[in-house]
Amino acid sequence: EDQVTQSPEALRLQEGESSSLNCSYTVSGLRGLFWYRQDPGKGPEFLFTLYSAGEEKEKERLKATLTKKESFLHITAPKPEDSATYLCAVQAWGGATNKLIFGTGTLLAVQP
Amino acid sequence: DTAVSQTPKYLVTQMGNDKSIKCEQNLGHDTMYWYKQDSKKFLKIMFSYNNKELIINETVPNRFSPKSPDKAHLNLHINSLELGDSAVYFCASSQEAVNEQFFGPGTRLTVL
């Protein structure tokens, strides 16, 4: 069964303290891996899509990487406005190919 | 400009009632989705429509019935509401299966 596990569940950082969030996945055939950011009371906001192992994408202080078993979201010198829940999701080949399977997220708090 | 909008934002109702949530997207996308996010923030797909045709129907009670009058709208009707239906419901849209999905702001449903 396709599955996504995110760790840690929660992470507290000081402003400027870089760290990484992990997304481990088990999928029959990976069509795409997606990262989203969700602020309280709002819908998930798209960040990145990764399609193949070795691929990397960057946006401001965020960088997403992908291997055959996991993805990392690296946060460099975070600011308080980076505080949010970060969600990882996978899309698999076969069956309903546009179905996203989400992890339970990492709640990030960045303190000034 | 609002990309994916949902109404209402909040819905409080009694057990046994019937209610509807409406979703509209102005992105010109051909695929729309309904997701349910539970109290632990786990996001799970319920339905997906492509050009008004149902393509994903997860294991959801048949009290839930989606309707797509055109490819820009996807509504969710829920009959005989139960306490366990309390959650946040998100609508999303994408252009073709492999592309990123854009989410609406969510509808918080509370069943008393």
Side-chain angles (χ1 to χ4, degrees), chain B residues 8-93:
Chain B
K9 175 99 173 135
Y10 300 96
L11 190 50
V12 181
T13 188
Q14 299 288 330
M15 260 194 332
N17 284 351
D18 302 339
K19 290 292 178 186
S20 292
I21 306 171
K22 294 186 176 183
C23 177
E24 178 181 359
Q25 55 95 4
N26 63 5
L27 297 167
H29 289 166
D30 60 4
T31 307
M32 295 185 72
Y33 313 79
W34 278 111
Y35 286 85
K36 179 180 180 180
Q37 189 170 48
D38 62 23
S39 57
K40 295 186 178 180
K41 305 295 185 185
F42 182 60
L43 201 59
K44 187 165 189 218
I45 191 162
M46 301 172 69
F47 302 104
S48 173
Y49 270 77
N50 178 264
N51 284 317
K52 303 194 296 175
E53 181 183 346
L54 181 67
I55 55 172
I56 295 177
N57 184 351
E58 290 293 287
T59 310
V60 176
N62 58 14
R63 298 181 294 103
F64 290 78
S65 53
K67 282 193 172 58
S68 181
D70 56 61
K71 71 175 192 177
H73 295 84
L74 180 62
N75 303 323
L76 183 65
H77 187 75
I78 315 170
N79 288 326
S80 303
L81 278 155
E82 300 178 356
L83 293 176
D85 297 333
S86 295
V88 182
Y89 292 84
F90 288 100
C91 176
S93 72

Side-chain angles (χ1 to χ4, degrees), chain A residues 25-95:
Chain A
Y25 63 89
T26 305
V27 67
S28 49
L30 182 70
R31 191 172 189 185
L33 185 140
F34 300 79
W35 281 99
Y36 285 84
R37 168 192 171 128
Q38 186 174 22
D39 292 299
K42 296 192 175 180
E45 177 190 342
F46 170 75
L47 294 173
F48 304 108
T49 310
L50 301 166
Y51 295 105
S52 57
E55 190 175 358
E56 298 182 352
K57 289 198 176 167
E58 283 188 73
K59 180 181 178 180
E60 295 181 358
R61 295 176 293 282
L62 300 177
K63 178 180 172 180
T65 61
L66 181 65
T67 72
K68 288 186 178 179
K69 292 184 178 180
E70 58 192 349
S71 177
F72 290 94
L73 186 64
H74 306 279
I75 304 176
T76 302
K79 298 182 177 182
E81 53 261 43
D82 295 322
S83 299
T85 295
Y86 289 85
L87 298 168
C88 171
V90 297
Q91 216 176 37
W93 288 103

